[in-house]
Every structure is written in structure tokens, then in C-alpha cells.
């Protein structure tokens, strides 16, 4: 940490605070810092453009694609992370046994050329692609598949593997049948299993040699079989990849990719317009018109996501469902979505987006009713209101284009109208998860989810008791009836019957209110006029090997 920088910030805070209230100070300081960041970025970009130096030449090169995103990856070992920033890099470095088609979550061959499921749904046999090399020169084979999965099964599985139980929970054993054939045996039928094997996290196949070489540092030194190989990671600045010359498929259209870390939405927009970035994500709705007027290509794709506020259900006061309902009645979701996201999101009546199988059209969510909120608060023993602590992330997310701080401030204002004083603590994304799961005194938190595979289980499992330990269940919500319905749906290979079970589950969750489901955001991105073939995948990742600069 730069302590001198921290001290300067304190001086700035004294200068700008004046006589504002604590809430006012928070909002003024946040806006002040954002403005300073934007002005500094514009000045820097202007100086780079004026000097005609190496960086400007590189930005103009057709051989280098610069993708600007809002936060660092948490890591680059697929078994050790659960965030979108990591996944965007990972899908370009690693590959999976099966993969999603370019525009959907329909499954097609990947590192496996074909596969068969046993009649009882408990055994899967995969024939593997031959002649595939890892980036370290070692061979991809059945042993590598077994190694990748085994390291995420008990007893090797660790608490640092958030997706392991989520992806491989029903896996009993992995058997190597020959060099290029592997069998995966499950403890029970598991309907989402094949879709899980295509996911960006946990499922990608890693080099056993590299994992053994780097140990825990493999998280910073990824080695897969993908079209791009890892070059370097300058923390907080960039991740650099280059085309893998021995890739088994077609060579990438652009030889080098740079994932550039730029925290502020408006700064990324400026970088795109000045040529310092070729593609940006997390576009702020207020910047769309400006980008379009500058001839940038702006895309707003349907988002397979959910933007939510969760209650910490494992401790007072929100271990009481009536308290969760009370606060839910205090939140005007229509107003939030209109003010913050305009036409770039839709109000979420349920956890599932309306195009995901199992969505229950009868669900409307808990409506805005401040009088009902006050009534329930009084009935729960808080006639004079209460004070709560909420935490949020500071950067934009695919499900929340304006960032967590703006959303938290808007909710804070609404809660104040029913006598709930909410204190806000923001964290950078890389630190946010630890803050949520380890900090004491947290009552409310903002989070979200981008679907991995298009299956309803992938969303609804976030409320399963066993995912509290994995940290995917951010609300720490536990309901045996919900757990049983999830298991029942997974084991049922009849798609129609599964959907009925999921609808029943959603109705229970609406009444229990562990989350306030706020919105389903469109995936906002933009690229320069000379960029071709770029698109967001529905799962929220970016496949960059077919992207090129004209």
C-alpha cells in the first residue's frame, strides 16, 4: 500500500468535506475522486497521444488488442476463483471438455470429441482430442482430465476452491480408460452435469506439470491448452497474453491481447475514444450517447444475470424473515432501475431471468410499500427503526453497470424513509469477497451473478445450504425445504418435471426473502470502429481469438 497516497487522500477529504453530514461527505468524496481520476486519465492520454511514443504506436497496432475492464482478476487458476474478471482471461487461456456454442449455452465438442451417458445417468465416458499440447509443451490426455477434477474432490479439495462442490459435487470417481478416454462416475444422476463441464470456472483443464511446478503460485502462472498463453500479470495494471503457436485449432486473429485494468467507467470510455483501448466493458449508461457520437460500436446484449442485495440471514436482525420482508417492502425497484440504469436493465421479479427455463411468470417480487415496511418493522420489535451496516463493491459489474456504490447510496436513501439508517462501506472488487465473508457487523451486502451455463440450477443453487461454506451463498441462507427441492430437481432427468420443481422453489424463496432481486442488466460493451467480430457470450465471458482490428 502507498501510505503517502493514503495521507494525501486524507488531506483532500478535509478540503472537500466542509460541513456536510456523514452521508453527504461520502457522496461528495466519491464524486470528487471520480472526477479527479477522469481528469488525470484525460491528461495522461493527451500526453501519450502528443508524444507519439511507443505506447501510442502499440495502441495503433493491428497485432495488439487492448481490452479494458474495471478490476483485476482475483486469480488465474480456474479452481481458485469465482469472479467474472478472472473468467474473462481464463477462457482465453484454458479449454474445457465440452464448450458452449458462440451465441448460446448449447453444448458442442471441446477437448472431448464425443461422449456417452449411461442409461441411469451416473456414468459419462469422454473420448478426448489427440495431438493437443499444453502451453508448457506437455501433452493433454486422460491423466490431465483426472488430475484437474481430482484436485477439486475430497480429500484434495480446499476451502479456497469456491466452484469445486458447485461443479463436481456429485462426482464419485474419475477413471482413466486409456490415454485418450476417461470415465466420470457420479454418485447420482445429475441433470446439469454436461453443462457444468463447459463452465469458465472449475471445469477448465489445467497442466498437471505446471500445477506441481508452481504450487500455490499457479494462480499467478496459468497454463492451459487455449489459443492464448499467459505472458505476465502486472497487478492492478494489466494481464498480457500472446497467441500459442502450437495451438491445435486455428491461430488467433490478433497475436497479442492485453487485459487493461481501468477502474472508472468514464475513464474507460475516454480510453476507448482516444485509442488507448480497443474494447471496454462495464459501460456507464450515461456514456452511451457520447460513445455513439464518437463513432464507437456500442452493444447492449441480453444479460444472463441477476443484480441483488442480500441479507445476512445467519444473524440478527435478518435471521428473521419478517425483518427481511420489511426491508424488501421499503425498496422501490422500479425507481432504482429507471434512475440508475435507464433502458439498460429490467426490474427482476425473481432470481431467474425470464428466458431461463423454469422462470415462474406468476412471481412479481415483494412490491414497494413503505407503510407495510414500517408496520413489519414495528411488529418485529423496531417501531423506531434501526441502524444497519451495508457493504458494497466499488467497481462496475456486468450485472450492475453503474457500480455498487451508486446502487448502495440509492438504497440507503430509500431505507431512510422508513427509519432504517444504513451505513455504507465500499471495497475494491478483489477485496470485497473477503470483506463480506470475514467482516463482523455486516447486515446487508450487494452482489450479483452471471449465469455460467443457462441451467436454472446454476442460479438457484446460490441459495443452497452447502454453498454457504463455498461462499457462493452470499446471504448465508439455509432452508431444508429449498435444499431438498434443489436435489430433487438435479436428479430428475425429465426436463418438464424439473421446471415444475424450480417454480415451486422460487415461490418459497419469494416469501422467505433472503435477497432483494433488483434487476437483470443488459451486458454493455463498446469497441472502436476498426474492431471486428467482438461479442459478449451469454455467460458473461469474452472469446477474443476471432476478434481483429481492421
Amino acid at each position: 500500500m502507498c501510505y503517502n497516497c493514503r495521507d494525501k487522500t486524507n488531506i483532500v477529504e478535509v478540503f472537500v468535506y466542509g460541513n456536510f453530514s456523514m452521508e453527504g461527505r461520502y457522496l461528495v468524496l466519491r464524486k470528487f475522486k471520480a472526477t479527479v481520476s477522469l481528469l488525470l486519465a484525460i491528461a495522461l492520454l493527451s500526453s501519450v497521444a502528443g508524444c507519439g511514443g511507443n505506447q501510442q504506436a502499440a495502441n495503433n497496432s493491428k497485432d495488439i488488442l487492448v481490452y479494458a475492464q474495471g478490476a483485476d482478476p482475483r486469480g488465474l487458476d480456474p479452481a481458485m476463483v469465482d469472479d467474472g474478471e478472472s473468467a474473462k482471461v481464463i477462457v482465453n487461456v484454458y479449454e474445457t471438455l465440452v464448450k458452449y456454442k458462440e451465441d448460446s449455452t448449447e453444448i458442442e465438442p471441446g477437448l472431448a470429441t464425443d461422449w456417452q451417458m449411461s442409461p441411469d445417468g451416473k456414468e459419462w465416458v469422454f473420448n478426448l482430442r489427440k495431438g493437443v499440447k499444453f502451453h508448457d509443451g506437455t501433452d493433454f490426455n486422460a491423466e490431465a482430465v483426472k488430475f484437474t477434477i481430482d484436485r477439486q474432490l475430497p480429500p484434495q479439495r480446499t476451502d479456497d476452491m469456491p466452484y469445486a462442490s458447485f461443479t463436481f459435487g456429485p462426482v464419485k470417481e474419475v477413471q482413466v480408460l486409456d490415454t485418450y478416454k476417461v470415465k466420470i462416475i457420479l454418485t447420482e444422476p445429475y441433470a446439469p452435469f454436461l453443462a457444468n463441464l463447459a463452465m469458465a470456472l472449475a471445469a477448465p483443464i489445467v497442466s498437471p506439470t505446471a500445477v506441481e511446478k508452481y504450487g500455490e503460485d499457479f494462480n499467478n502462472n496459468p497454463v492451459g491448452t487455449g489459443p492464448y498463453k499467459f505472458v505476465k500479470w502486472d497487478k492492478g495494471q494489466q494481464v498480457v497474453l500472446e497467441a500459442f503457436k502450437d495451438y491445435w485449432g486455428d491461430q488467433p486473429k490478433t497475436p497479442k491481447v492485453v487485459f487493461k485494468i481501468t477502474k472508472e467507467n468514464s475513464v474507460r470510455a475516454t480510453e476507448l475514444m482516444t485509442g488507448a483501448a480497443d474494447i471496454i466493458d462495464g459501460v456507464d449508461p450515461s456514456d452511451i450517447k457520447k460513445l455513439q457520437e464518437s463513432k464507437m460500436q456500442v452493444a447492449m446484449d441480453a444479460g444472463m444475470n441477476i443484480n441483488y442485495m442480500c441479507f445476512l440471514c445467519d444473524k440478527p436482525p435478518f435471521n428473521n424473515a419478517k425483518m427481511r420482508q420489511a426491508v424488501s417492502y421499503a425498496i422501490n425497484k422500479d425507481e432504482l432501475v429507471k434512475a440508475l440504469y435507464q433502458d439498460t436493465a429490467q426490474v427482476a421479479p425473481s432470481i431467474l431471468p425470464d428466458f431461463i427455463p423454469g422462470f415462474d411468470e406468476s412471481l412479481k417480487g415483494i412490491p414497494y410499500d413503505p407503510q407495510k415496511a414500517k408496520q413489519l418493522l414495528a411488529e418485529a420489535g423496531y417501531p423506531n427503526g434501526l441502524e444497519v451496516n451495508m457493504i458494497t463493491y466499488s467497481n462496475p459489474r456486468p450485472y450492475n453497470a453503474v457500480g455498487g456504490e451508486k446502487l448502495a447510496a440509492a438504497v440507503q436513501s430509500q431505507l431512510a424513509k422508513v427509519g432504517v439508517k444504513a451505513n455504507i462501506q465500499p471495497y475494491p472488487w478483489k477485496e470485497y469477497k473477503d470483506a463480506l465473508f470475514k467482516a463482523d457487523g455486516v447486515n446487508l451486502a450487494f452482489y450479483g451473478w452471471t449465469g455460467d451455463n443457462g441451467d436454472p440450477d446454476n442460479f438457484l443453487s446460490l441459495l443452497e445450504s452447502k454453498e454457504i461454506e463455498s461462499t457462493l451463498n452470499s446471504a448465508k441462507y439455509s432452508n431444508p425445504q429449498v435444499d431438498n427441492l434443489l436435489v430433487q430437481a438435479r436428479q430428475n432427468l425429465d426436463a418438464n418435471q424439473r421446471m415444475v420443481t424450480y417454480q415451486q422453489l422460487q415461490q418459497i424463496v419469494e416469501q422467505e426473502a433472503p435477497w432483494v432481486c433488483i434487476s437483470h442488466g443488459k451486458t454493455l460493451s463498446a469497441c472502436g470502429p476498426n474492431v471486428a467480430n467482438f461479442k459478449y457470450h451469454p455467460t458473461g465471458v469474452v472469446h477474443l481469438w476471432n476478434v481483429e482490428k481492421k
Side-chain angles (χ1 to χ4, degrees):
M1 178 179 287
C2 174
Y3 289 96
N4 290 332
C5 293
R6 184 185 65 182
D7 291 341
K8 290 176 183 176
T9 299
N10 290 337
I11 294 172
V12 168
E13 291 175 6
V14 172
F15 178 75
V16 301
Y17 273 168
N19 294 319
F20 284 101
S21 66
M22 287 304 296
E23 179 181 345
R25 292 182 180 191
Y26 164 76
L27 293 172
V28 169
L29 180 59
R30 178 168 57 79
K31 292 178 180 178
F32 182 87
K33 288 180 177 178
T35 302
V36 170
S37 298
L38 177 59
L39 292 174
L40 288 173
I42 292 172
L44 176 61
L45 292 169
S46 298
S47 66
V48 170
C51 71
N54 292 334
Q55 183 173 352
Q56 179 66 10
N59 289 340
N60 290 331
S61 172
K62 292 183 178 180
D63 293 336
I64 301 175
L65 187 71
V66 179
Y67 184 102
Q69 63 183 35
D72 244 344
R74 285 204 181 116
L76 297 176
D77 179 347
M80 298 294 179
V81 294
D82 65 353
D83 64 301
E85 275 66 28
S86 301
K88 290 169 194 170
V89 180
I90 282 170
V91 297
N92 291 280
V93 174
Y94 299 92
E95 294 176 300
T96 46
L97 289 177
V98 295
K99 63 181 182 178
Y100 306 121
K101 289 189 174 180
E102 185 176 350
D103 297 314
S104 72
T105 53
E106 187 177 345
I107 298 296
E108 64 181 7
L111 289 174
T113 57
D114 58 85
W115 51 89
Q116 301 84 38
M117 180 185 73
S118 63
D120 64 0
K122 292 184 179 182
E123 294 186 357
W124 294 79
V125 175
F126 295 88
N127 293 306
L128 306 181
R129 196 175 297 278
K130 299 177 181 178
V132 176
K133 294 284 187 181
F134 285 105
H135 302 152
D136 58 7
T138 58
D139 292 329
F140 162 75
N141 52 34
E143 291 289 352
V145 175
K146 179 175 172 59
F147 178 89
T148 295
I149 299 175
D150 280 354
R151 69 193 285 250
Q152 298 180 76
L153 301 180
Q156 296 186 56
R157 180 191 298 165
T158 69
D159 292 340
D160 297 323
M161 297 177 174
Y163 258 66
S165 64
F166 195 70
T167 307
F168 300 117
V171 175
K172 176 182 179 181
E173 183 184 0
V174 182
Q175 296 179 352
V176 173
L177 302 183
D178 64 35
T179 305
Y180 295 105
K181 181 175 287 191
V182 64
K183 177 188 287 188
I184 302 176
I185 303 172
L186 310 182
T187 57
E188 59 197 20
Y190 186 60
F193 185 61
L194 194 62
N196 281 8
L197 293 182
M199 296 195 310
L201 304 175
I205 307 302
V206 300
S207 162
T209 302
V211 173
E212 291 168 358
K213 173 183 177 181
Y214 291 109
E216 292 184 2
D217 205 36
F218 183 70
N219 212 19
N220 299 311
N221 294 276
V223 178
T225 63
Y228 285 103
K229 70 176 183 178
F230 174 77
V231 176
K232 66 175 181 176
W233 181 4
D234 300 320
K235 299 292 178 68
Q237 299 179 48
Q238 63 179 0
V239 178
V240 180
L241 311 179
E242 66 180 18
F244 178 41
K245 301 301 183 184
D246 293 325
Y247 182 58
W248 62 269
D250 295 334
Q251 279 291 303
K253 298 287 181 62
T254 305
K256 181 178 286 188
V257 166
V258 177
F259 285 87
K260 188 175 187 292
I261 314 305
T262 304
K263 295 181 179 179
E264 292 290 340
N265 287 11
S266 294
V267 177
R268 284 198 305 284
T270 300
E271 289 177 337
L272 181 64
M273 292 185 290
T274 58
D278 300 305
I279 306 170
I280 64 172
D281 64 16
V283 176
D284 194 297
S286 63
D287 288 330
I288 291 176
K289 184 177 180 181
K290 176 175 63 177
L291 289 167
Q292 291 173 332
E293 290 174 346
S294 300
K295 309 302 182 185
M296 301 296 112
Q297 303 178 66
V298 178
M300 291 186 283
D301 300 312
M304 191 167 65
N305 58 52
I306 177 66
N307 174 29
Y308 65 87
M309 182 184 79
C310 67
F311 301 94
L312 276 294
C313 301
D314 63 330
K315 55 190 174 184
F318 295 119
N319 57 346
N320 181 346
K322 181 174 286 189
M323 284 294 295
R324 301 195 295 266
Q325 292 171 2
V327 170
S328 298
Y329 276 113
I331 296 176
N332 188 335
K333 296 190 290 186
D334 290 314
E335 181 181 274
L336 288 176
V337 172
K338 182 177 180 180
L340 295 176
Y341 309 116
Q342 299 154 42
D343 295 326
T344 65
Q346 65 184 64
V347 173
S350 173
I351 296 175
L352 296 181
D354 57 15
F355 57 86
I356 295 288
F359 172 75
D360 188 344
E361 295 182 0
S362 70
L363 297 177
K364 304 300 179 185
I366 293 178
Y368 175 57
D369 188 340
Q371 294 307 314
K372 182 72 170 178
K374 292 178 181 178
Q375 174 194 331
L376 291 179
L377 286 171
E379 290 176 3
Y382 295 92
N384 299 316
L386 75 157
E387 183 173 352
V388 297
N389 297 315
M390 61 168 61
I391 65 171
T392 190
Y393 45 90
S394 56
N395 57 289
R397 306 292 300 139
Y399 42 77
N400 178 9
V402 302
E405 291 181 81
K406 287 185 179 180
L407 176 57
V411 170
Q412 178 191 53
S413 177
Q414 293 186 352
L415 293 181
K417 295 176 182 178
V418 299
V420 177
K421 179 183 179 182
N423 306 308
I424 301 172
Q425 176 62 58
Y427 290 87
W429 178 247
K430 197 171 182 181
E431 302 169 14
Y432 180 62
K433 185 177 177 180
D434 281 346
L436 172 58
F437 287 97
K438 295 179 181 178
D440 292 327
V442 176
N443 308 114
L444 301 168
F446 292 88
Y447 227 101
W449 181 260
T450 298
D452 298 288
N453 59 23
D455 192 280
D457 180 78
N458 187 252
F459 279 83
L460 298 173
S461 288
L462 299 176
L463 295 172
E464 191 168 12
S465 298
K466 73 182 182 69
E467 299 304 343
I468 294 175
E469 185 178 357
S470 74
T471 70
L472 293 180
N473 184 341
S474 54
K476 299 184 179 179
Y477 168 72
S478 180
N479 182 326
Q481 188 177 7
V482 168
D483 293 344
N484 290 335
L485 287 171
L486 283 167
V487 171
Q488 179 182 328
R490 287 188 199 116
Q491 294 180 3
N492 195 332
L493 301 180
D494 184 306
N496 292 329
Q497 292 178 13
R498 287 185 74 209
M499 299 312 119
V500 171
T501 304
Y502 286 133
Q503 289 172 350
Q504 181 182 352
L505 187 156
Q506 290 171 77
Q507 291 166 5
I508 295 170
V509 169
E510 181 176 79
Q511 292 303 310
E512 287 276 287
W515 293 2
V516 175
C517 297
I518 297 171
S519 62
H520 301 298
K522 294 181 181 178
T523 302
L524 303 180
S525 61
C527 56
N530 62 330
V531 174
N533 305 324
F534 172 73
K535 60 180 64 178
Y536 246 89
H537 191 266
T539 58
V541 298
V542 290
H543 302 134
L544 298 179
W545 50 86
N546 284 326
V547 181
E548 59 183 327
K549 292 161 70 175
K550 300 293 187 181

